[in-house]
């Protein structure tokens, strides 16, 4: 059987390596294009990422700073303790609304003390400087220590959302002109007070620890409850979805006989991934709250619903990763007398780890950012009280970070938009913390063979 | 130079370790192994020879049921190990494979360190009580496979970073480290130089004193050197099986003769 | 369970949260948990039954329907207290940089209805500019962001603006004259055009606002309170010459408003700590009165608040 | 909390069982551990499991019975004691079984296998739960609404007063249109990114780019929605739709599709990257050795070998696209219409499920109940699509080695 | 039986095809190839021999720059192909590899049909104008690799379902089908029976008439049979290079002598 290149194979002259022949040129051009597409794809993704992150950061950075006003408040006994017996039970009958009036007087006094004169400044402008949260703050202090009544005490109180916005550049003189909730005079007054050092903008720890606040006091709203709620839910998801998902994948990919039933399970799982998340909410409401009697708005229910939702999203990548491990490695293990189970857990699983971790990263990211299913199980709610510590806290009402974002973007006061972006930043940091370990592990387990 | 120093063919033992009866293997529709009947003796080296694609590996994989992992493979017939049918429902293939070790045709080290590659078997079978014992087993196995000198300084490097022949020896060491009762070796010396080959052959000879070894080889010289029994496969049939001396000097089947004299392949 | 649980309309939600917050601050009870799931969703949870596993209060931007009452009854939720907390004004606003608008309901009908009457004929609506509808209106292309059909606001908008405009402009008669019966004519009045000039908004008012920011020609339908919090970005239009405000709505001068409610399970009043106190706190003068924080936020307080307070104190249930 | 105490005690017992079993096995083995069928650790585990499993079964049964109301709620201590007795009995039984021939490894592995199987059954249970929780209300819906209009109606105009047109067709169309555009964006970008990361990029670049792209999957969808509404929508309208005379809608299928596509990139890129990376290097070497360029290698050898995993990634992305709401609401609008023009506003089934379910309409009205019918229909449709996908993957699967 | 029928050693041509100068290869810290200088002639078969792990494959992979794919590998020195440095920046490794074909030590068929495996090279290089031509090339290559008869009825079955030796021949066919100018074969016959080996050797002989062939082998007999030049590697050094006859009969280096007489490995 002669195999000379003369007949069938076109004769190729020994060409120089340094010059590319036409075909090579064309193929190299294709190669370049291909590579360029890759670079472009990554560039597009990175640009999108940068743009999105930039919008979030510029919009949300302000949430981490807050303006406070330092004022001496004369705690008028006539108003705060009408009975005069300093009995906290009696004093508790005085509502925050009355404290509000005491504070108004204090602000007016401060303005007067500094001798600030601004044309057209109204009493409403002065009173509006501080947040409604301030009266609750003062009331709590007074009830905790009734002896303060009658004294003049220094308070560091939150300023109103518009004032705070002014120092962060969100509110301008022009917008204040049209804004019925503030006025240029009020802003000028705020500026004067700031110049005198009474009003300062500083880092806002309260944003990270406070609970949500009502529409009237955006400046007091924080993500404390939401962080706890998300944390609890993620604990549940992590503890259930990841092991169950991996276990199910191992069974289906490595052990299940290839028959109708496993086909049905397989199709089922891919289909579950396509079920809109709100439907999992419907399921959760029916199964966990109505049937199992778990409490509403509780992270345990949220966690369980998210677990069910995340499971298929972990199973699919995990199965793909298991499938990608070459059979020769399984053979090698079986050949030295390892059981199937041992070969899977000792060899296949470690090699599939990067793919599994990617599934976990993406699945958890989705679970962390999901609101729709929580809508039906009562977690999209206004919650002021922090849940307890573990494990009891799993059953207390709690919010979640995406829920907080969702809620705040619907509020009418524009100050909440900033908070929402701030909450998104917190959420992303939360996600990053959750993922660093996974990303590090993934890099560690990555190898070629 | 190309000496064929054969050990005395002391086919002293009589016990049958493995006996195959009417073994058929199908890959899908393809009938890869037809009616194979063979008795493999204990404490003996048996060589499987035959042209490429004749079914040697297939038969080897039948013995320790590695064919179970190929979905399209179907095995019929009986294979008895110590008079127990390995395809019996009650037989645990894992236990079987612990008894019947295997070196695959294509070297397939785990993507782990060299040490872990060899230590894997002893670990799962609990052959070592402590680290020192394990170290001992690993060293012994690597020495046996003539690899120790080359890798003793790089035991923690990945086994996949070795040269082809080194990988092959690593796989031999891995199989030997579990000290199986039967060792199936599919062309264990194909990528080895003559000296390494000689060392592995020495190892085989040594193993024979305790175990039964089956070796697939394309080298007639090697078969003649190491084995006491030889089986010749052709197109899925076991054509001839007998004492190695007889097969190489007085083949009964014409196909055997043609093969060993280099006429059919 | 420690907390009171409230669910329902997202229009009532802000008021509910304001009260819940004040309640928690001033009383020795935990702050109620207030969910938003829409009036329908809230009432559904409400009607699921009585017991600690069910909610106590449903917020609603419309009265409970008979069918819903029936389900409630079937599930054992029989004694329901209906509390009207005030009125929600619905306003039309465009970008603060845009021109001033003074509409009549008829303008809205002629701008947005699918079928209009031109020269006595029923024709498809092709108006592209507001000044085609009414020469007094600015020359600006018609683009209206109206609440999606999931919103209770949509119903009010259709009935109090579009249908009113239909009748006012005489189109209703023309429809009837063209051979429709009464119902069909009403339907025809309230069917909005689908050529992209009337854009349904399924989200919230914030979405409407964002749409106006991205399409400055748009005019949006908002709640009064939302507008009042965003006067720097929005400019409100008058209806028949009346500017919307809590006063004009309370007096009935401004036509587009609707009552807001919440429903309480009487069976829970004794069982759930603080529920009675919360309900009373909600309708107290300091809170829901014309000088209270709700009014400040944009709720039009109910002139008949005193009657509501009485009913709550007495635990009067719906019949 | 007597039950949780019982649980804790059971775990302690199981741990004790492990230790006892192990040492017992060592004792049985004598000097040569190989005499045992299984390693002592397996014997220990088998005893531990023998103690744990019956107790867990008792506890689970007790919990279910209490939920179902068969047992009163103060039976907790009794259940706990029964569970403890079961655990001790199991432990004793387990210890007795230990012997040289006892196949502890197989027993443990069978139990583990049972556990794995149980885990995969959760998927079935979930599906059953979903169907059950949808089917009842769907039936309700079809009692008050004509199924023919629902399935074949081309108009979707729900109304408060009733008399709504609730045809699924425009929603279905919108769903497919948006998802298709999103996938058209995400699949090529994702695949090219994956190929670049796994085949061309240095380890450092990859180590940074991959997690960075994954952040895209973690950004809440509301951010994407607002991005679509405020940036992309007007851009497309002003520079694309209006000049071309394709309408002047600020929201459109294309807007939502593009933005959603960006969100889906990491699903395709990261998952594919892992799978591509798992293709053995020897295959690449084989192709490169024949003089193919890296891109030819990727396209003709690596990608086909990685196909099943890539299809899985794309399916996951498609699933996500179908289930997305916020981006569609803000990007594509809420108008249910059927049009070929990608610059028109449309909406999807999922959006309508959410909005009908959380709206202000009467919860017994067809306007609300339709959400369940939509959910179930979507479920069936995606099921059919998945069957097709499975079939295709089976057909084109290439197995290496 | 084990005949060593050598073709006449007609080392007629004089042209140098490949010349290596001071080639060093490092795998990370490991210095795997040290100062290798060699001239490989055109239209000649050159055999690389040496103990396992001495660097034969490493050097082979240097010639067509396959080492580029190993991240930790670093190559220094110069390798000239037709007097052009293959490590020159301007050289396109793709074009280089099209000229310098390679058969790997471990058979690595693509997970495609047997036909597609062989047709892969001709397709990407555009060697066939139409399907019939391609069929011709495939058949010829498979025949050359002595595989045609075994696979002609199952061309559309996956190449991964072949036996070890069949896979090896498939890889040879795949490399030959691209008709390279230089063919590097890393132990091409390690898994082949004697007859298949003979056929492949015949193929090599035939290829030699036009191309330059480099073959790594552990079989001294094979080296002696097929090659005109032989290079002996030891511990990363090229110890000796010369006419095959000379190397096998009059080795100059003591290590060479020790190796071919079976004393070092
Ligand atoms: N990828 C790698 N990483 C690290 N070391 C390597 C790698 N490949 C080869 N080596 C080492 O380089 C040396 C030369 O290897 P090479 O593969 O060239 O040997 P060889 O002569 O082909 O041997 P064999 O005949 O066994 O195939 C060996 O010591 C080997 O362990
Ligand atoms: N997984 C498989 N699927 C289909 N056919 C197979 C498979 N494995 C082997 N075969 C076929 O079965 C026959 C016997 O193969 P086997 O691997 O046993 O040959 P062998 O004797 O080991 O050959 P070699 O010496 O080349 O390794 C061959 O024709 C081969 O093509
Ligand atoms: Mg074989
Ligand atoms: Mg080599």
């Amino acid at each position: 059987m002669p195999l000379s290149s003369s007949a069938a194979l076109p004769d190729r002259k020994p060409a120089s390596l340094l010059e590319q022949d036409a075909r090579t040129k064309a193929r190299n051009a294709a190669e370049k294009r291909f590579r360029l597409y890759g670079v472009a794809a990554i560039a597009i993704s990175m640009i999108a990422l940068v743009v999105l992150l930039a919008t979030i950061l510029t919009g949300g950075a302000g949430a981490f700073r807050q303006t406070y006003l330092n004022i001496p408040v004369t705690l008028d006994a006539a108003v705060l303790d009408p009975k005069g017996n300093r009995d906290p039970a009696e004093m508790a009958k005085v509502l925050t609304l009355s404290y509000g009036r005491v504070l108004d007087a204090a602000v007016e006094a401060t303005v007067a003390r500094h001798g600030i004169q601004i044309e057209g400044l109204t009493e409403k402008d002065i009173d509006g400087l501080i947040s409604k949260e301030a009266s609750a703050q003062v009331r709590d202090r007074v009830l905790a220590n009734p002896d303060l009544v009658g004294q003049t005490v220094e308070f560091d109180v939150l300023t109103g959302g518009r004032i705070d916005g002014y120092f962060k550049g969100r509110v301008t003189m022009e917008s204040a002109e049209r804004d019925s909730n503030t006025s240029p005079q009020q802003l000028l007054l705020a500026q004067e007070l700031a110049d005198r050092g009474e009003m300062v903008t500083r880092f806002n720890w309260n944003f990270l620890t406070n609970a949500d606040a009502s529409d009237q006091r955006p400046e007091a709203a924080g993500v404390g409850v939401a962080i706890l709620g998300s944390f609890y839910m993620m604990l549940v998801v992590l503890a259930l979805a990841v092991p169950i998902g991996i276990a199910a994948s191992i069974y289906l990919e490595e052990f299940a006989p290839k028959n109708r039933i496993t086909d049905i399970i397989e199709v089922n799982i891919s289909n579950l991934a396509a079920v809109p998340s709100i439907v999992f909410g419907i399921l959760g409401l029916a199964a966990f709250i109505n049937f199992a009697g778990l409490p509403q708005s509780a992270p345990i229910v949220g966690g369980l619903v998210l677990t069910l939702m995340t499971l298929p999203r972990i199973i699919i990548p995990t199965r793909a990763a298991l499938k990608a491990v070459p059979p020769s490695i399984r053979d090698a293990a079986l050949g030295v007398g390892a059981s199937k189970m041992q070969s899977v857990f000792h060899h296949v699983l470690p090699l599939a780890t990067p793919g599994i971790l990617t599934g976990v990263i993406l699945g958890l990211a989705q679970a962390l950012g999901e609101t729709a299913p929580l809508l039906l199980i009562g977690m999209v709610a206004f919650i002021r009280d922090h849940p307890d510590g573990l494990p009891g806290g799993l059953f207390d009402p709690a919010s979640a970070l995406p829920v907080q974002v969702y809620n705040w973007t619907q509020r009418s006061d524009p100050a909440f938009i900033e908070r929402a972006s701030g909450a998104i930043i917190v959420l992303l940091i939360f996600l990053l913390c959750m993922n660093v370990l996974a990303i590090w592990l993934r890099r560690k387990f990555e190898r070629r063979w | 130079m190309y000496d064929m120093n054969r050990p005395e063919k002391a086919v002293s033992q009589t016990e049958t370790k493995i006996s195959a009866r009417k073994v058929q293997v199908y890959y899908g529709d393809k009938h890869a192994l037809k009616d194979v009947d063979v008795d493999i003796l204990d404490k003996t080296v048996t060589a499987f020879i035959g042209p490429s694609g004749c079914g040697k590996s297939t038969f080897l994989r039948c013995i320790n049921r590695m064919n179970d992992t190929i979905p399209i493979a179907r095995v019929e017939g009986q294979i008895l190990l110590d008079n127990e049918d390995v395809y019996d429902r009650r037989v645990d293939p894992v236990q079987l494979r612990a008894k019947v070790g295997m070196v695959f045709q294509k070297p397939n080290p785990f993507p782990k360190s060299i040490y872990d590659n060899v230590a894997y078997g002893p670990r799962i079978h609990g052959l070592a009580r402590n680290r020192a014992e394990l170290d001992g087993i690993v060293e012994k196995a690597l020495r046996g496979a003539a690899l120790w000198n080359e890798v003793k300084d790089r035991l923690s490097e990945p086994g996949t970073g070795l040269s082809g022949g080194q990988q092959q020896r690593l796989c031999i060491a891995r199989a030997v480290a579990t000290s199986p009762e039967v060792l199936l070796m599919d062309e264990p010396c194909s990528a080895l130089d003559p000296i390494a080959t000689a060392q592995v052959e020495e190892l085989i000879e040594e193993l024979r004193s305790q175990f039964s070894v089956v070796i697939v080889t394309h080298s007639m010289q090697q078969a003649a050197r190491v084995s006491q029994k030889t089986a010749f496969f052709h197109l899925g049939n076991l054509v001839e099986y007998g004492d190695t001396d007889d097969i190489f000097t007085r083949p009964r089947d014409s196909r055997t003769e043609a093969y060993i004299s280099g006429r059919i392949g | 369970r420690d907390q009171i649980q409230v669910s329902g309309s997202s229009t009532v939600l802000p008021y509910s949260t304001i009260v819940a917050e004040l309640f928690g601050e001033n009383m020795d009870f935990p702050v109620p948990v207030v969910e938003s799931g829409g009036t329908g969703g809230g009432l559904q949870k409400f009607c699921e039954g009585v017991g600690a596993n069910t909610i106590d209060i449903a917020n609603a931007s419309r009265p409970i329907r008979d069918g819903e009452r029936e389900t409630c009854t079937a599930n054992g939720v029989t004694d329901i207290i209906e509390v009207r907390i005030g009125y929600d004004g619905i306003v039309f606003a465009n970008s603060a940089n845009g021109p001033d608008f003074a509409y009549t309901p008829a303008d809205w009908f002629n701008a947005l209805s699918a079928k209009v009457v031109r020269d006595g004929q029923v024709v498809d609506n092709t108006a592209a500019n507001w000044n085609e509808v009414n020469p007094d209106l600015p020359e600006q292309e018609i683009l209206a962001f109206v609440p999606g059909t999931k919103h209770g606001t949509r119903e009010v908008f259709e009935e109090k603006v579009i249908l009113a405009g239909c009748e006012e402009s005489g189109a209703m008669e023309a429809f009837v004259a063209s051979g429709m019966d009464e119902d069909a004519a009403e339907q025809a009045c309230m069917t909005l055009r689908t050529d992209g000039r009337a854009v349904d908004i399924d989200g919230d008012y914030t979405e409407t606002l964002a749409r106006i920011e991205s399409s400055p020609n748009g005019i949006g339908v908002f709640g009064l309170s939302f507008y009042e919090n965003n006067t720097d970005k929005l400019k409100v239009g008058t209806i028949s010459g009346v500017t919307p405000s809590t006063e004009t709505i309370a007096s009935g001068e401004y036509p587009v408003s609707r009552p807001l409610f919440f429903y309480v399970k009487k069976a829970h009043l004794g069982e759930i700590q603080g529920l009675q106190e919360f309900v009373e706190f909600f309708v107290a003068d300091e809170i829901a009165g014309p000088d209270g924080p709700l009014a400040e936020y944009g709720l039009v307080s109910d002139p008949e608040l005193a009657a509501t307070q009485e009913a709550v104190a007495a635990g009067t249930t719906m019949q | 909390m007597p039950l949780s105490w019982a649980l804790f005690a059971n775990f302690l017992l199981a741990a004790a069982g492990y230790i006892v079993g192990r040492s017992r096995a060592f004792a049985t083995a004598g000097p040569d551990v190989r005499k045992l069928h299984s390693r002592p650790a397996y014997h220990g585990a088998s005893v531990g499991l023998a103690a744990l499993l019956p107790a867990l079964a008792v506890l689970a049964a007790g919990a279910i019975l209490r939920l179902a109301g068969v047992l009163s709620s103060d039976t907790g201590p009794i259940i706990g004691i029964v569970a403890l007795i079961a655990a001790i009995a199991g432990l004793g039984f387990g210890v007795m079984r230990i012997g040289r021939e006892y196949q502890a490894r197989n027993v443990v592995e069978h139990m583990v296998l049972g556990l794995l199987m149980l885990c995969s059954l959760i998927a079935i249970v979930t599906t059953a739960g979903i169907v059950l929780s949808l089917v009842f209300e769907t039936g309700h819906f079809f009692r008050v609404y004509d199924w023919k209009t629902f399935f074949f109606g081309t108009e979707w105009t729900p109304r408060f007063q009733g008399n709504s047109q609730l045809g699924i067709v425009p929603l279905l169309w919108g769903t497919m249109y948006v998802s298709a555009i999103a996938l058209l964006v995400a699949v090529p970008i994702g695949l090219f990114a994956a190929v670049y990361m796994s085949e061309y990029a240095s380890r450092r670049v990859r180590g940074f780019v991959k997690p960075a792209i994954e952040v895209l999957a973690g950004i809440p969808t509301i951010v994407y929605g607002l991005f679509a509404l405020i940036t992309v929508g007007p851009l497309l309208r002003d520079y694309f739709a209006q000049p071309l005379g394709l309408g002047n809608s600020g929201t459109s299928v294309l807007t939502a599709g593009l933005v959603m596509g960006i969100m889906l990139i990491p699903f395709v890129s990261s998952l594919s990257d892992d799978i591509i990376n798992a293709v053995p290097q020897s295959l690449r070497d084989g192709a490169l050795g024949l003089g193919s360029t890296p891109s030819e290698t990727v396209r003709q050898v690596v990608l086909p070998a990685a196909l099943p995993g890539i299809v899985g990634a794309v399916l996951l992305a498609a699933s996500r696209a179908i289930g997305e709401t916020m981006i569609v609401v803000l990007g594509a609008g809420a108008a249910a219409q059927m049009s070929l023009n990608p610059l028109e506003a449309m909406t999807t089934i999922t959006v309508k499920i959410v909005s009908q379910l959380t709206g202000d309409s009467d919860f017994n009205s067809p306007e609300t109940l339709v959400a369940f019918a939509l959910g179930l229909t979507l479920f069936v449709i995606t099921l059919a699509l998945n069957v097709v996908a499975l079939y295709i993957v089976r057909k084109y699967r290439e197995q290496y080695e």
Side-chain angles (χ1 to χ4, degrees), chain C residues 73-159:
Chain C
T73 313
N75 291 336
V77 187
T78 43
D79 291 335
I80 304 172
I81 304 172
E82 182 182 63
V83 183
R84 190 173 61 214
I85 59 167
Y87 292 85
D88 178 32
I90 291 166
V91 307
F92 303 93
N94 56 330
S95 168
N97 304 317
D100 294 329
F101 277 90
Y103 321 94
T104 63
D107 295 341
W108 276 98
F109 166 75
N110 282 321
L112 293 191
S113 181
K115 300 258 189 245
V116 289
V117 177
R118 292 258 184 284
D119 309 324
Q121 295 300 109
V122 176
V123 295
D124 281 347
N125 193 351
T126 55
N129 255 315
W130 284 101
N131 65 354
E132 286 176 42
V133 172
N134 177 353
D136 297 337
L137 289 173
E139 184 183 347
Q140 177 171 317
E141 76 170 314
I142 297 175
L143 179 62
F145 299 114
V146 299
T149 47
K150 65 175 261 197
H151 285 292
T153 324
R154 173 65 169 260
E155 189 181 18
V156 181
F157 172 71
E158 285 181 356
E159 282 181 357

Side-chain angles (χ1 to χ4, degrees), chain D residues 143-221:
Chain D
R143 272 200 293 283
V144 293
Y145 196 86
D146 179 34
W147 64 272
K148 270 182 262 152
T149 329
F150 174 71
F151 284 118
F152 304 111
T154 55
E155 217 179 304
W156 173 271
T157 45
R159 287 161 172 284
F160 258 89
Q161 301 83 355
N163 205 355
S164 315
Q165 294 291 314
L166 300 172
I168 193 176
V169 180
L171 302 183
L172 200 57
W173 170 250
T175 305
M176 304 226 255
Y177 209 167
V178 173
S179 310
I181 294 178
L183 289 181
L184 277 180
V185 174
V187 172
I189 294 184
L191 266 186
F192 274 115
V195 166
Y196 191 86
M197 284 192 288
S198 59
E199 303 291 316
Y200 295 102
S202 70
R203 210 178 134 75
R204 264 184 54 221
V205 169
R206 176 157 178 269
F208 168 75
V209 167
K210 193 171 170 183
I213 293 183
E214 277 159 2
V215 173
L216 285 175
I219 294 178
T221 49

Side-chain angles (χ1 to χ4, degrees), chain D residues 91-303:
Chain D
L91 193 143
F93 176 66
V95 172
M96 292 217 325
R97 276 190 306 188
I98 292 176
R100 290 197 176 170
E101 293 308 308
Y102 177 56
Q103 305 196 335
R105 196 202 63 239
N106 299 36
V107 171
V108 171
E109 286 188 350
H110 271 113
M111 289 187 199
V112 173
L113 189 63
L115 202 71
L116 298 183
M117 205 186 309
L118 216 63
C119 289
S120 66
L121 283 183
I122 289 182
I124 297 279
V125 176
T126 312
T127 303
I130 285 176
V131 171
L132 276 181
S133 56
L134 293 178
V135 93
F136 182 70
E137 304 279 13
T138 306
H140 213 123
F141 170 72
F142 285 123
R143 272 200 293 283
V144 293
Y145 196 86
D146 179 34
W147 64 272
K148 270 182 262 152
T149 329
F150 174 71
F151 284 118
F152 304 111
T154 55
E155 217 179 304
W156 173 271
T157 45
R159 287 161 172 284
F160 258 89
Q161 301 83 355
N163 205 355
S164 315
Q165 294 291 314
L166 300 172
I168 193 176
V169 180
L171 302 183
L172 200 57
W173 170 250
T175 305
M176 304 226 255
Y177 209 167
V178 173
S179 310
I181 294 178
L183 289 181
L184 277 180
V185 174
V187 172
I189 294 184
L191 266 186
F192 274 115
V195 166
Y196 191 86
M197 284 192 288
S198 59
E199 303 291 316
Y200 295 102
S202 70
R203 210 178 134 75
R204 264 184 54 221
V205 169
R206 176 157 178 269
F208 168 75
V209 167
K210 193 171 170 183
I213 293 183
E214 277 159 2
V215 173
L216 285 175
I219 294 178
T221 49
I222 189 141
V223 177
Y224 286 100
L226 290 173
F227 181 61
L229 176 63
I230 293 169
T231 315
V232 181
L235 228 86
L236 283 178
R237 180 192 59 205
D238 298 342
Y239 296 99
F240 215 63
Q242 281 174 346
L244 291 178
L246 288 171
N248 54 1
S249 169
T251 53
S252 65
V253 186
L254 190 59
T255 310
L258 281 179
V259 174
M260 200 194 289
I262 290 174
M263 180 193 73
L264 297 179
I265 290 173
F267 287 83
V268 182
S269 72
S270 280
L271 295 173
S272 305
D273 172 70
D274 287 318
I275 303 299
I276 291 173
N277 216 34
V279 173
Q281 180 66 27
S282 67
L283 286 185
R284 290 187 186 85
D285 282 357
L288 292 174
L290 289 172
S292 50
T293 62
S295 67
E296 287 162 347
T297 308
V298 169
R299 274 181 291 146
Q300 298 174 17
V301 176
V302 178
L303 285 184

Side-chain angles (χ1 to χ4, degrees), chain A residues 215-253:
Chain A
D215 283 52
Q216 280 185 316
R217 28 183 116 154
E219 57 280 354
V223 290
V225 176
I227 289 179
L228 273 180
S230 276
F231 177 67
Y232 289 170
M233 285 201 293
M234 285 304 117
L235 276 188
V236 175
V237 175
L238 211 60
L240 293 178
V242 176
I244 293 179
I246 293 176
S249 318
I250 290 177
Y251 176 73
L252 292 173
E253 198 54 45

Side-chain angles (χ1 to χ4, degrees), chain B residues 27 30 32 52-58 72 105 187 218:
Chain B
Y27 290 113
K30 192 179 155 62
S52 168
C54 66
K56 305 178 295 293
S57 303
T58 301
I72 58 165
Q105 187 167 10
E187 306 196 25
H218 281 303

Side-chain angles (χ1 to χ4, degrees), chain B residues 154 157 160-166 169 191:
Chain B
R154 46 191 280 208
E157 281 173 37
T160 41
L162 293 174
S163 83
Q166 288 167 336
R169 283 174 283 160

